[in-house]
Amino acid sequence: LHCAAHETIERINDSKDFAIFPRGKILFHSGNEAKGFFFIKSGLVRSFVQLSKGKEQTLRLNGPGDCIGFRDCISESVYHHSAVSVEDT
């Protein structure tokens, strides 16, 4: 967010919300419209893609201080991966 324009930061601040996700809760699915992004205050979130035959490939583990879904959101695109809470987040 350091390189974001002042107007972008204002738009983010005006529409931010807070939520708690219990372990195993999906934050978003790949292919869904990217309506927002998540800043992780506590907990752990796994980013992954679905492979053939139902397998999943972990892309990254995101923890406190990380943002997830930001690029997809600002590009007004769809999410290109899914995210699930690994622990209460």
Side-chain angles (χ1 to χ4, degrees):
L1 294 177
H2 297 291
C3 62
H6 180 70
E7 295 80 22
T8 301
I9 299 296
E10 285 182 354
R11 193 175 92 218
I12 290 167
N13 280 330
D14 289 343
S15 62
K16 68 183 172 185
D17 196 8
F18 298 90
I20 297 173
F21 296 91
R23 181 178 187 247
K25 178 75 174 178
I26 297 288
L27 281 69
F28 55 83
H29 288 280
S30 178
N32 287 359
E33 181 183 355
K35 295 182 179 180
F37 68 97
F38 299 82
F39 176 79
I40 302 167
K41 184 175 180 181
S42 65
L44 193 63
V45 175
R46 180 174 69 97
S47 302
F48 66 95
V49 291
Q50 199 78 30
L51 302 175
S52 61
K53 299 182 183 178
K55 294 184 179 184
E56 297 175 349
Q57 179 178 4
T58 297
L59 302 174
R60 182 175 179 187
L61 292 174
N62 305 276
D66 289 337
C67 285
I68 185 168
F70 182 71
R71 285 187 210 132
D72 296 332
C73 180
I74 63 170
S75 68
E76 298 178 354
S77 179
V78 297
Y79 293 113
H80 291 92
H81 61 279
S82 298
V84 62
S85 57
V86 175
E87 57 189 38
D88 291 349
T89 302

